[in-house]
Structures are given as C-alpha cells and as structure tokens.
Amino acid sequence: MKKILILALTFSLTSCAEMQQTLSQLPQMSQGVGGVDIASGLKEALNKGITVQVSKLTATDGFYKNEAVKILMPEELQKVDATLRKVGLSSLADEGIKMLNRAAEDAVKEATPIFVSAVKNMSFTDAKNILLGNDTAATSYLQGSTTTALYGKFNPVIKSSFAKVGADVVWTKIINKYNTIPLVKKVNPDLTDYTTNQALAGVFKMIAVEEKEIRNNISARTTPLLKSVFALQDGK
C-alpha cells in the first residue's frame, strides 16, 4: 500500500516514458488492505509522482535555484568564500557554488533504477508499515535501503560532471587563489564526496516534502484510488 507513496516520491526522478516502462517491473501484490488494490494504487501514485517536486532537481537550476536544497560551500570553506568576496572575487565564489549544484543536478538522474529496485524488494509488511507509519516513513525506508547504492552511483557522476562543466578548473583556481593569500590556513577539501552527500540529502528532503503532502493534504490525493489508499492511514 505504501509502495504507492514511495514510488510516487521516488520515481519523480525520471521522465514519463521511463516511469511507464518501470511499471511492468513492479511486483503485483495480491494482498490488499480494506479491499484496496495496492498494485493499482501504486500505479496511481506513480503517475502523480511524475509531476512532484523531486523531478525538478534534475533540471538546470534544480538545486541551484531551490533554496531548500541549494548546495553551499562546505563548512571548511566558509572562510574561503568570505575571503574571496572580501578581495573582490565574488563572481569566482559564485561560480564555484554553481558548479557544485550543476554536478548534483546531473547525478540525481542516476537515482531511478536504484529506487525501482528498492520498491521491487519491498515486502507487503514493509508497505503496510510504511503506510501506517509517521509522515516520513517512506522517506526513511528509502534512505535505509538506497543510500549506499545511490552514493556509489552519484559519486562518479559528480566527479565526471565536475570535469564536464569545468568545475575542476574553477575550484582549482579558487583553492589556489585562496591558498596564496598571506596568513590563511591552506585547504584541499574533497568536494566530490561533499557534493555527493549534499545531493543525497537534497533528494531525500524533497521526497519527504511530497510524502508529507500526500499524507496530510487530502486535496493532494487526486484520484479515488489514492483517496482510498491514504484513508487507511488517516484511520490508523
């Protein structure tokens, strides 16, 4: 039942064509709750999920212009950012931040097959527990079952994206500029690891937003099946 939600939230990361293609891969759960067809409910939620917020993360500026998930300088580089701006290099600092977000936008496109796998492996008990769980039960399930695999997919994409968009050159310039400033402590951060973890955090944050919306806003349940499915949660 709860697979519905999870898929809705997670599959927002892919195109309509890809979404429909994955439907055939999902297990048809013969068990239902209160007469509600869970498999059909899953398809309904998937269709809704195509248009929800997480899909926006894969677009240009999906991270960069979304204040909820925008990736900023890592803590160890806050002084770098402030110092560059102080010496008239604000545009360089801004460009460095933009590059981090561009890489994250590229990486999120890799999430769909991993989410498909997580949903396929979900048991009926998992689905029921998630449906009757708290406002972020589906998000928590996905975090627990996909984070390691997502990191493995995101990290090389982000590394490659840095090279593709010129982030490696920009950041080398930023770090070199900063390290030549007198009396500063030299830095050499692992920006690929940092950006990977920030991209993961952004994905799950947006999934949680949509999960809460479907759970708590009856008007977000746009079909009779979604209404029936989440009515079960309302009466828990």
Side-chain angles (χ1 to χ4, degrees):
M1 146 90 306
K2 196 52 188 302
K3 276 176 85 166
I4 321 189
L5 177 54
I6 296 190
L7 247 237
L9 312 172
T10 59
F11 280 72
S12 320
L13 301 170
T14 164
S15 68
C16 291
E18 291 173 318
M19 290 286 187
Q20 297 303 325
Q21 187 174 8
T22 62
L23 284 175
S24 61
Q25 303 175 34
L26 298 172
Q28 297 296 306
M29 299 177 73
S30 59
Q31 292 174 286
V33 178
V36 177
D37 184 335
I38 293 175
S40 295
L42 177 61
K43 294 178 183 180
E44 292 280 1
L46 176 55
N47 286 331
K48 176 173 174 54
I50 293 170
T51 61
V52 298
Q53 299 177 46
V54 178
S55 62
K56 298 175 184 176
L57 294 177
T58 63
T60 299
D61 291 329
F63 273 84
Y64 188 61
K65 290 188 177 178
N66 182 341
E67 292 302 319
V69 296
K70 182 178 180 178
I71 300 173
L72 303 175
M73 293 267 195
E75 186 177 350
E76 70 214 84
L77 293 185
Q78 293 299 319
K79 286 184 179 179
V80 175
D81 184 82
T83 303
L84 289 176
R85 295 180 191 284
K86 220 177 273 186
V87 298
L89 294 173
S90 295
S91 60
L92 182 59
D94 289 339
E95 187 65 12
I97 290 172
K98 182 183 288 187
M99 294 300 186
L100 299 182
N101 287 274
R102 287 288 180 268
E105 290 154 12
D106 268 355
V108 169
K109 297 170 186 175
E110 299 295 316
T112 300
I114 294 168
F115 284 131
V116 170
S117 178
V119 173
K120 286 176 68 177
N121 292 328
M122 185 188 304
S123 68
F124 177 77
T125 299
D126 287 332
K128 186 170 71 171
N129 288 342
I130 291 169
L131 178 67
L132 303 179
N134 62 31
D135 278 358
T136 58
T139 304
S140 296
Y141 174 85
L142 285 175
Q143 282 182 291
S145 58
T146 65
T147 293
T148 299
L150 286 173
Y151 185 98
K153 279 285 190 180
F154 282 17
N155 193 267
V157 171
I158 285 171
K159 185 174 182 179
S160 172
S161 182
F162 277 170
K164 181 177 71 176
V165 301
D168 48 355
V169 175
V170 171
W171 272 96
T172 297
K173 186 176 180 181
I174 288 173
I175 298 303
N176 288 343
K177 280 277 188 186
Y178 179 77
N179 286 341
T180 60
I181 297 172
L183 304 179
V184 301
K185 181 180 178 181
K186 290 181 170 42
V187 295
N188 186 28
D190 184 346
L191 289 170
T192 302
D193 176 72
Y194 170 75
T195 305
T196 300
N197 283 312
Q198 291 298 301
L200 288 170
V203 167
F204 290 119
K205 186 168 187 175
M206 297 311 295
I207 287 174
V209 165
E210 183 63 18
E211 178 174 3
K212 288 180 182 178
E213 179 72 2
I214 292 175
R215 285 183 183 275
N216 298 312
N217 184 356
I218 293 178
S219 66
R221 305 168 191 174
T222 53
T223 68
L225 186 52
L226 282 178
K227 290 174 184 176
S228 298
V229 162
F230 288 97
L232 297 173
Q233 135 199 294
D234 296 339
K236 68 183 177 183

